[in-house]
Amino acid sequence: MKRYKEHHLQQPITPDLLMSPSDRDENELDIDYPEERGNWTGKLDFLLSCIGYCVGLGNVWRFPYRAYTNGGGAFLIPYFIMLAICGIPLFFMELSLGQFSSLGPLAVWRISPLFKGVGMGMLFIVALVAIYYNMIIAYVLFYLFASLTSSLPWEHCGNVWNTDLCLDHHVIRANNSALPINISNTVSPSEEYWSRYVLHIQGSSGIGDPGQIQWKLCLCLLLSWTIVYLCILKGVKSSGKVVYFTATFPYLILIMLLIRGVTLDGAWIGIKFYLTPQFDHLLSSKVWIEAALQIFYSLGVGFGGLLTFASYNTFHQNIYRDTFIVTLGNAFTSILAGFAIFSVLGYMSKELGVPVDQVAKAGPGLAFVVYPQAMTMLPLSPFWSFLFFFMLLTLGLDSQFAFMETIVTAITDEFPYYLRPKKAFFSAIMCTVLFLLGLILTTDGGMYWLVLLDDYSAGFGLLVLVITFSLVVSRVYGIKNFCRDIQMMLGFKPAIYFKACWSFLTPVTLLSLLSYSVIKYQPSQYGNYKFPLWSEALGILMGLVSCMMIPIGMLVAVLKEEGTLWERIRQASRPSMHWGPSLEENRTGMYVNTLAGSQSPKPLMVHMRKYGGITSYENTAIEVDKEIEEESMM
């Protein structure tokens, strides 16, 4: 008995938290752990990925049109005010949450399991957007290949797809430049090429009659998904390298188009039309709402892409600096794109002898009708056309990378043991499924379905999710706790500007946007075609499904808890035991207690004994511990 006691004294039991890897039992090392998520491999991977994600097709075909219809240069005043109130705070909040937890849009809701449905709703919206967004990239690929000719196919009438209404405007101007042209009852060659040849929309009577698959579009869609898959094959390790080209090259092309545009005769007519301030518009609430909507959708907040990208950062990445670089860079790009677009439109209006507002359009009409027509009026038109569509391709691919990475990351984070080792295979499955779902967009009536998805997939449902997201972080989790987490990451607390926006200004702005979208609701329309009631109901259902994910997630979370209903709700709304930094060395302060095997009343001192030394960030953690002790004594 004495020998047993001596032996027992010679073999003290070391708490698990204080053991080094070499001290652990060999059998413990046989435990299966999920494969590492990985991180960005280059210093600029994250920054360029965010720039590529935010700077997309909307900067080229939505902002310029929205600016000139809402006061011209005066529109920049509400635009930058809404950027400060709504855009920058939401952007920083999403990045902070992703980087702190190193988790995707689903698993990140360990912060408050009761609201995991918000992440589910985000995934549903991103999947719908990814389906039709890649179809737009397929259109761009089609035009890109069509530009590889000596003469652009939409330059003249007389093709098999043209009708008697087709009018070759630049030929008539060349024959008699002194006479004005009445274009009210005519159709340009580029418009008929788009609608009758590319879309073959004459083969469909409406959204309920999709017609046949256009195999030329189907192959372009297949190519588009293949490119996306190859670029995300190895996750952020591969897409992070691709963005070095896709995020920077559009700026080179945009500058080339801008220089070419401002040197054209009549360019300043378009630029004046674009920027002439009309300050009386600022008295209209519509202008302020339009500015907020432009900021909201241009930055891509609420889709989960920013959160996903930030989750692959190192714990102490300076996302505070990155937030201002990306948001201000995005605004600058939108303004720059306006100059490039309207300089060409000004030249086009002078050549045709019509006002700028008769040639200016937004959305696909600008990218696939108006600008291609303008290209036919320039020397070396195939060259400039190729550059323009190659720019659109790189702009679109960056955003599509983010959508797919969001979906794949979110699901693999939920099932890390099974899916992370097979991430490439899982990505292939997701790309294949979304490609098959998008086949309806390649039919004769595919444009009707694309318009429906564009109008409703990320409409009021996304606003509801983002409002819930911001309120959960600021009210349920608490601004004080959130700022404490940011201090642990960055070494400083956010300024009072961010606290004021997160607490009041941003939620109020978002609620105003939601109210405006409901009050000013207008049924979808494509040209003169009005969508039937059943399609409108289907579109509204898309938005409602994403919203319904919230109560469904609440029900699941409550059923997992024990106690009375109120006790279950309170417990489910609190952060789970697994919430916090993903790596042990980053779990300083209060988060050490949540590590497996933690038994120490002084969690920070245990952490220091295990990992050694005190870094500047751990000094911050010491201050946090003191704050917690002071709060508990009060």
Side-chain angles (χ1 to χ4, degrees):
M1 186 70 178
K2 186 177 181 181
R3 285 183 180 180
Y4 173 77
K5 288 182 179 179
E6 288 176 356
H7 177 73
H8 181 71
L9 292 173
Q10 291 173 359
Q11 300 290 332
I13 299 176
T14 307
D16 180 68
L17 188 62
L18 301 180
M19 293 172 65
S20 66
S22 59
D23 295 329
R24 298 181 187 273
D25 185 28
E26 290 184 1
N27 292 329
E28 292 185 35
L29 299 179
D30 295 333
I31 299 174
D32 290 330
Y33 292 97
E35 188 172 308
E36 293 293 328
R37 294 177 85 247
N39 293 98
W40 300 105
T41 55
K43 292 183 178 180
L44 295 177
D45 291 13
F46 168 71
L47 183 61
L48 291 177
S49 293
C50 286
I51 291 174
Y53 169 59
C54 296
V55 179
L57 299 174
N59 296 73
V60 175
W61 72 26
R62 279 208 175 101
F63 175 83
Y65 184 85
R66 189 167 264 167
Y68 102 80
T69 56
N70 289 282
F75 179 74
L76 297 180
I77 296 174
Y79 178 77
F80 280 103
I81 290 176
M82 288 301 171
L83 176 65
I85 292 176
C86 190
I88 293 175
L90 282 174
F91 196 95
F92 185 49
M93 174 182 280
E94 194 167 336
L95 290 188
S96 300
L97 204 62
Q99 180 168 302
F100 182 78
S101 63
S102 298
L103 296 171
L106 284 179
V108 76
W109 289 100
R110 294 174 185 175
I111 190 174
S112 184
L114 186 67
F115 296 93
K116 190 172 184 177
V118 174
M120 296 161 57
M122 285 181 178
L123 278 194
F124 179 75
I125 288 175
V126 168
L128 292 179
V129 172
I131 291 172
Y132 82 81
Y133 203 85
N134 226 22
M135 189 65 232
I136 296 175
I137 297 176
Y139 294 145
V140 172
L141 285 171
F142 189 93
Y143 271 82
L144 191 69
F145 295 138
S147 301
L148 299 174
T149 58
S150 58
S151 177
L152 295 175
W154 56 85
E155 186 171 356
H156 301 288
C157 297
N159 300 290
V160 293
W161 57 82
N162 291 128
T163 65
D164 294 337
L165 295 176
C166 182
L167 178 63
D168 200 340
H169 302 142
H170 73 283
V171 171
I172 296 179
R173 290 294 293 173
N175 292 336
N176 190 357
S177 59
L179 296 176
I181 302 174
N182 181 10
I183 63 173
S184 57
N185 295 320
T186 62
V187 181
S188 66
S190 62
E191 187 168 351
E192 289 203 335
Y193 180 82
W194 163 243
S195 61
R196 297 183 61 82
Y197 181 68
V198 179
L199 300 180
H200 201 260
I201 204 166
Q202 69 272 19
S204 170
S205 60
I207 191 170
D209 175 30
Q212 297 180 347
I213 289 179
Q214 294 298 306
W215 290 106
K216 56 184 183 293
L217 289 181
C218 183
L219 292 175
C220 287
L221 182 62
L222 178 62
L223 176 60
S224 177
W225 276 112
T226 303
I227 294 172
V228 170
Y229 171 69
L230 292 176
C231 292
I232 66 167
L233 179 61
K234 296 182 179 179
V236 294
K237 291 183 180 179
S238 55
S239 64
K241 298 307 176 188
V242 175
V243 294
Y244 277 82
F245 176 76
T246 56
T248 56
F249 194 67
Y251 285 95
L252 177 61
I253 300 179
L254 190 61
I255 292 172
M256 292 175 64
L257 292 173
L258 175 62
I259 294 173
R260 184 68 185 101
V262 297
T263 57
L264 294 171
D265 187 26
W268 292 105
I269 299 175
I271 293 175
K272 183 181 178 181
F273 191 82
Y274 167 51
L275 283 182
T276 300
Q278 302 173 43
F279 292 104
D280 57 305
H281 282 64
L282 298 181
L283 300 176
S284 171
S285 59
K286 175 181 177 293
V287 173
W288 294 83
I289 294 295
E290 289 287 332
L293 286 172
Q294 177 63 34
I295 289 293
F296 182 77
Y297 287 108
S298 179
L299 292 178
V301 292
F303 289 92
L306 297 172
L307 192 150
T308 300
F309 282 161
S311 72
Y312 290 102
N313 279 342
T314 55
F315 190 68
H316 300 303
Q317 168 81 16
N318 191 352
I319 51 174
Y320 184 79
R321 172 202 61 203
D322 295 341
T323 293
F324 287 96
I325 292 176
V326 176
T327 53
L328 295 178
N330 176 70
F332 167 75
T333 305
S334 297
I335 297 171
L336 186 67
F339 281 100
I341 295 297
F342 272 89
S343 61
V344 175
L345 295 184
Y347 163 74
M348 183 177 173
S349 71
K350 186 172 183 179
E351 286 291 302
L352 297 177
V354 298
V356 178
D357 59 356
Q358 288 192 26
V359 296
K361 292 184 179 181
L366 173 66
F368 301 117
V369 177
V370 177
Y371 213 82
Q373 182 184 356
M375 294 295 100
T376 63
M377 300 178 180
L378 300 177
L380 300 175
S381 55
F383 170 73
W384 293 109
S385 178
F386 181 86
L387 281 184
F388 175 71
F389 286 109
F390 193 77
M391 179 185 72
L392 293 185
L393 175 64
T394 52
L395 288 174
L397 284 176
D398 288 332
S399 300
Q400 189 69 10
F401 294 161
F403 296 147
M404 292 308 300
E405 194 62 53
T406 299
I407 296 172
V408 173
T409 296
I411 300 176
T412 53
D413 279 351
E414 283 294 290
F415 308 99
Y417 292 94
Y418 307 105
L419 294 182
R420 275 187 196 164
K422 305 172 182 176
K423 192 172 182 179
F425 179 68
F426 179 68
S427 299
I429 292 177
M430 292 306 304
C431 288
T432 302
V433 170
L434 294 181
F435 164 71
L436 294 175
L437 291 174
L439 284 179
I440 192 171
L441 303 179
T442 66
T443 60
D444 296 335
M447 177 50 68
Y448 299 123
W449 285 96
L450 190 145
V451 170
L452 191 71
L453 285 169
D454 187 35
D455 287 348
Y456 291 100
S457 62
F460 69 90
L462 181 63
L463 285 170
V464 170
L465 293 178
V466 176
I467 292 171
T468 308
F469 173 83
S470 62
L471 290 177
V472 170
V473 175
S474 62
R475 301 294 180 180
V476 179
Y477 185 62
I479 289 290
K480 196 169 186 178
N481 292 331
F482 188 54
C483 291
R484 183 181 293 157
D485 293 343
I486 293 174
Q487 184 182 14
M488 185 185 299
M489 280 194 303
L490 305 181
F492 60 88
K493 287 185 177 180
I496 192 172
Y497 151 70
F498 283 102
K499 296 178 184 178
C501 289
W502 291 334
S503 301
F504 178 74
L505 294 176
T506 302
V508 168
T509 304
L510 292 174
L511 285 170
S512 300
L513 289 178
L514 179 61
S515 302
Y516 178 83
S517 65
V518 173
I519 294 172
K520 296 293 184 179
Y521 167 77
Q522 291 182 345
S524 294
Q525 188 171 338
Y526 181 69
N528 296 323
Y529 175 77
K530 293 184 178 181
F531 285 67
L533 287 177
W534 68 265
S535 63
E536 292 293 327
L538 180 62
I540 294 173
L541 183 62
M542 291 182 201
L544 290 177
V545 168
S546 58
C547 296
M548 288 302 296
M549 295 292 183
I550 299 176
I552 292 173
M554 287 180 170
L555 179 62
V556 173
V558 167
L559 291 176
K560 288 181 178 180
E561 302 296 337
E562 296 180 352
T564 64
L565 178 62
W566 178 244
E567 288 173 346
R568 292 184 179 202
I569 293 174
R570 288 187 61 187
Q571 188 61 32
S573 63
R574 294 169 180 165
S576 71
M577 286 297 293
H578 301 293
W579 168 248
S582 62
L583 298 179
E584 289 188 9
E585 58 263 33
N586 294 326
R587 282 182 174 258
T588 57
M590 58 184 291
Y591 290 103
V592 177
N593 273 327
T594 64
L595 292 175
S598 176
Q599 303 169 358
S600 171
K602 297 287 186 180
L604 181 62
M605 302 311 297
V606 173
H607 180 275
M608 288 163 52
R609 231 182 288 173
K610 180 175 182 181
Y611 294 104
I614 302 180
T615 67
S616 60
Y617 294 99
E618 285 168 344
N619 273 326
T620 300
I622 292 175
E623 296 174 6
V624 171
D625 280 349
K626 289 180 180 178
E627 289 182 15
I628 296 172
E629 291 180 4
E630 290 173 1
E631 289 175 6
S632 61
M633 293 174 64
M634 293 176 62

